[in-house]
Amino acid sequence: MELEIQTLEQFKGQARLPKFAVPKSYDLTLKLDLSACNFYGKVLIDVSIKGFTKFIVLNALELEFHQVSFTNSQNLKYVPSDVLVDSDDEILVLVFEEGLDVGNGVLEIEYSGVLNEHLKGLYRCTYLDKGVKKNMVSTQFEAVDARRCFSCWDEPALKITLENIPSELTALSNMPISKEIIHESHKTVHFEDSIVMSTYLVAIVVGLYDYIEDATDDGIKVRVYCPVGKSEKGKFALNIALKTLEFFTMYFSMPYPLPKLDMVAIPEFSGGAMENYGLITFRENELLQDELHSAALTFKGLLFSIWQLTIVVAHEVAHHWFGNLVTMEWWTHLWLNEGFATWVSYLVTNILFSEWKIWNLFLQETIGGLRMDSLEQSHPIEKSLASYMKMYAFKNAKTEDLWSVLTETSGVEVSSIMDIWTKQKGYPVISVKLNNSTLKFEQIQFFSSALNSDAQWIVPLTLSLGSYSDQKKFLLESKIGQLNIGDIFGGNEKIVAENWWIKINTNQAGFYRVKYDDNLAARLRKAIASNLLSASDEFGILDDAFALCEACLMPFSSLLYMMDTYRKELEYIVLSRLIDVCYSASKILREAIPKLASDLNQFFISLLLSSAEKLGWEATPGESQLNALMREEVLMALANFGHPQTNEEAIKHFQAFINDENTSLLPVDTRKAAYVAVMRNTSTADRSGLQLLKKLYREVDAVQEKTRILRCMASCPDPSIVAEVLDFMLSDEVRHQDAIYVLQGISWEARATAWTWFKEKWDLILKKWGAEMLLTHFVRDIITPLCCHEMANEVEAFFGSHPVPSIELNLKQSVELYS
């Protein structure tokens, strides 16, 4: 025992596995038992021994090992004297008494495991077959959960075989099926050898599916797997996948490397989607389009699950180049995968659907994130990315590798600027003052908690001076800088004109916030009221104002004064942000000065009412998709803020819908408002609203409608009702994955009750979600809204005695947000 401890100790606490042995390929066979919910596995790993060693160390978790051996190239078989498992470090240590010489060999491991219900690794979930709940299998291996399915290192090529599969079920993996053998009621499915890929991209799905298919011009077969009888709902996603595959092949000057691409709707899935090589897995509502229940209608009459479906599909397809073909060297470089996949997904969506104004929506997703000015300006980057893809295809890359390629192709020393942005925490806020004709800039690090530091950035500033035709660029390379703009206009006459304005960070293209002096802020308010600014700049000014107020860098009164300027017709991106700011500002003031909460709600209602009246409750012929999105958000906001006429109208429409689900009186984009109004008027004295929503939830079949109902159920101001809804969320009636929708909708009035409920149900929550990323949603949606120092202390005390390492970072961020 003492020797075992010494052996384990030398490998514990290491971020990476030792390099004694390196895998070249895997031959994996899994025998699944969907009734007993377990599996038997056998993996043959071609291994290269790099130096004489008595140890082979690889990753493994929650597996039971039965037989292990290593056979070298001379056909000599070695059986380890010890097989040691460390669950804390998730490693398997094989100890060989004789030692292994340099050379190649095959490591054979036989083992078994459980098909867990935690939506990670190789897990089981359920589907309905003619009303009967049955088991199926899926995988989620990112970031490090392949080790729950088979012992592994990273970057292998794989050959996968699945045994004991019920004959009626579809079996899928990364590669096409090479052979299928039927054994009466069960079958064995063999898949083609894979290309080299990281283990987190390996995927297996076994379930009952229909599919639709098509092919790209160069012969790549694309399929969308849908629940039986619902294959038509995959048409839109199939069309997007085909177009994005062809676009990215052209854009990166690199062909898609696999013979097929499958996209599969998984009934229980912890994330939104996962870019497994050749087998992308999705939540059902992220992939399927339901014509009766999907909000937003384009002018052509094509119904679909708004623009997010396009973005999600494009994002996951893009990962097959950024992330799969060229993989990050380690998880610290994750932004290489996610950042570029996000950016190019918006790029291709803008090309496919220019009428959506998707770059404006990109601002909403990133809230001040970096954005390219135009497609023309991205052309040199396109050349650089193509070079990068060719250089690092089927390899691992670091951040520095990308900077090196960009520097070589552009002739600009990229790393000296970008290292400051990618290796330094946070970003700057730029204070701007106008003194005569001189603009003075000062940068400090921006913290939402109003802290300061000595950090500095090299900041490329863009300025619009009275119009978008008069623009200037200025590189702020130190803490303080100044720019004489009088020279640009040949004097001060234009600068002092009443309607003249300055907007820093034109179209919100830069990753920084801006704080204007009173004079410049007043000029911007006039420019907004006069419709002189672009929607992205109206968005940016409002977003910066709220962030500065939250960080105590701007008075709350100044924020309200700025918000009052937006009492006009707004584009979707601006109205949506205004609504979000109303929600956030309301929570801040209700906590700080409760007696003013009602007056503030009336102010917010007055801001939003004209937009609601213009949009109405019914779509007009030929209106844009963005109008439908605005209608949904503004009516729901008015219902939340307690506008009597909106609530009255919403409840009337809801009752008509309950009496006849085919009525035109409650179109999809008004249902959230109706559900919220119903729940805001529900209490322990009158529970009929909750009972009706539960009944509707049980009766509707569409995933989108069930999701919409769950999002609104906990919006009730009565804490007792919200506690009942949270208990309903724990029941078998709500899918494991769908808890996040209930949590997102918890009312402000019930936040303390939700925290009490969370503590009381902790053991059950931990048992049900403790091993999953979904647990982070409990932290974000229950703990973050608590909003005071006293509660921060209580939260820290609770988790001090109930530690969960996987949520420590999320917990710290939540505490920072409200303390």
Side-chain angles (χ1 to χ4, degrees), residues 291-305:
E291 294 191 353
L292 292 177
H293 298 278
S294 297
L297 179 66
T298 66
F299 67 94
K300 293 181 180 177
L302 174 65
L303 283 159
F304 57 95
S305 300

Side-chain angles (χ1 to χ4, degrees), residues 464 466 468 498-504 514-533 537-538 540-541 562 565-566 568:
S464 292
Y468 288 101
E498 187 177 342
N499 63 346
W500 190 82
W501 48 270
I502 296 176
K503 170 62 171 68
I504 312 297
V514 182
K515 182 177 184 293
Y516 298 93
D517 67 17
D518 291 344
N519 176 34
L520 292 176
R523 289 173 177 270
L524 282 174
R525 288 197 297 271
K526 286 184 179 179
I528 293 168
S530 302
N531 294 317
L532 298 177
L533 300 186
D537 277 335
E538 289 184 351
I541 291 166
M562 179 61 77
T565 308
Y566 290 78
K568 67 189 190 81

Side-chain angles (χ1 to χ4, degrees), residues 212 224-227 229-240 265 282-298 301-310 313 353 356 702-705 708:
I212 53 173
V224 177
Y225 285 85
C226 311
K230 298 181 179 180
S231 58
E232 292 298 301
K233 296 182 180 181
K235 278 186 174 180
F236 185 76
L238 177 64
N239 182 49
I240 295 300
F282 295 81
R283 279 191 180 221
E284 288 184 347
N285 63 340
E286 297 285 0
L287 182 67
L288 306 181
Q289 164 212 330
D290 192 299
E291 294 191 353
L292 292 177
H293 298 278
S294 297
L297 179 66
T298 66
L302 174 65
L303 283 159
F304 57 95
S305 300
I306 56 177
W307 54 271
Q308 285 98 330
L309 190 151
T310 303
V313 171
F353 302 102
W356 291 0
V703 174
Q704 287 92 342
E705 199 59 38
R708 192 173 288 116

Side-chain angles (χ1 to χ4, degrees), residues 412-637:
V412 176
E413 185 54 50
V414 175
S415 61
S416 62
I417 296 177
M418 291 307 297
D419 280 353
I420 297 173
W421 288 91
T422 61
K423 295 184 177 180
Q424 183 170 252
K425 190 181 295 186
Y427 58 90
V429 54
I430 312 297
S431 294
V432 188
K433 296 180 180 179
L434 180 62
N435 186 0
N436 295 321
S437 61
T438 301
L439 279 175
K440 295 187 176 181
F441 306 99
E442 181 178 359
Q443 64 163 297
I444 60 171
Q445 184 169 7
F446 180 82
F447 283 104
S448 60
S449 56
L451 297 173
N452 284 313
S453 79
D454 294 328
Q456 290 185 26
W457 287 261
I458 299 175
V459 189
L461 301 178
T462 54
L463 302 82
S464 292
L465 307 169
S467 76
Y468 288 101
S469 59
D470 289 328
Q471 294 193 17
K472 179 72 176 176
K473 295 180 180 179
F474 178 73
L475 193 63
L476 183 61
E477 299 182 84
S478 57
K479 184 176 178 63
I480 297 173
Q482 63 181 40
L483 173 67
N484 189 329
I485 58 174
D487 295 341
I488 299 173
F489 302 111
N492 293 346
E493 289 183 9
K494 193 169 183 179
I495 296 175
V496 298
E498 187 177 342
N499 63 346
W500 190 82
W501 48 270
I502 296 176
K503 170 62 171 68
I504 312 297
N505 197 9
T506 301
N507 289 321
Q508 287 309 100
F511 200 72
Y512 55 91
R513 297 203 179 276
V514 182
K515 182 177 184 293
Y516 298 93
D517 67 17
D518 291 344
N519 176 34
L520 292 176
R523 289 173 177 270
L524 282 174
R525 288 197 297 271
K526 286 184 179 179
I528 293 168
S530 302
N531 294 317
L532 298 177
L533 300 186
S534 67
S536 53
D537 277 335
E538 289 184 351
F539 171 97
I541 291 166
L542 178 62
D543 185 58
D544 282 353
F546 174 73
L548 293 168
C549 177
E550 192 176 36
C552 300
L553 296 173
M554 174 187 285
F556 192 77
S557 58
S558 296
L559 172 64
L560 297 181
Y561 197 24
M562 179 61 77
M563 291 171 71
D564 195 54
T565 308
Y566 290 78
R567 197 183 297 272
K568 67 189 190 81
E569 185 173 340
L570 302 169
E571 288 197 25
Y572 168 71
I573 182 65
V574 186
L575 178 61
S576 180
R577 187 63 188 131
L578 179 62
I579 290 169
D580 287 341
V581 171
C582 288
Y583 284 140
S584 299
S586 175
K587 291 174 184 176
I588 292 171
L589 197 69
R590 278 191 289 188
E591 185 68 35
I593 315 175
K595 65 181 181 181
L596 294 181
S598 179
D599 291 339
L600 191 65
N601 278 0
Q602 292 306 310
F603 171 71
F604 294 149
I605 288 170
S606 71
L607 275 182
L608 303 175
L609 199 53
S610 62
S611 293
E613 290 171 346
K614 180 177 182 296
L615 292 162
W617 281 82
E618 296 180 11
T620 57
E623 75 173 12
S624 76
Q625 178 204 12
L626 296 179
N627 272 22
L629 296 179
M630 285 194 283
R631 179 178 297 108
E632 179 177 72
E633 292 191 28
V634 75
L635 290 177
M636 190 166 68

Side-chain angles (χ1 to χ4, degrees), residues 288-354:
L288 306 181
Q289 164 212 330
D290 192 299
E291 294 191 353
L292 292 177
H293 298 278
S294 297
L297 179 66
T298 66
F299 67 94
K300 293 181 180 177
L302 174 65
L303 283 159
F304 57 95
S305 300
I306 56 177
W307 54 271
Q308 285 98 330
L309 190 151
T310 303
I311 292 293
V312 170
V313 171
H315 181 102
E316 303 307 325
V317 173
H319 268 310
H320 282 71
W321 284 265
F322 253 105
N324 299 9
L325 182 65
V326 179
T327 305
M328 62 212 166
E329 191 268 341
W330 192 241
W331 294 101
T332 49
H333 304 281
L334 179 62
W335 78 271
L336 279 177
N337 287 16
E338 298 302 331
F340 274 91
T342 297
W343 184 75
V344 295
S345 67
Y346 277 82
L347 174 66
V348 68
T349 300
N350 185 63
I351 291 171
L352 295 178
F353 302 102
S354 58

Side-chain angles (χ1 to χ4, degrees), residues 348-367:
V348 68
T349 300
N350 185 63
I351 291 171
L352 295 178
F353 302 102
S354 58
E355 70 273 15
W356 291 0
K357 302 179 181 179
I358 201 69
W359 285 122
N360 281 350
L361 296 175
F362 182 71
L363 285 177
Q364 186 184 43
E365 290 296 289
T366 60
I367 306 295

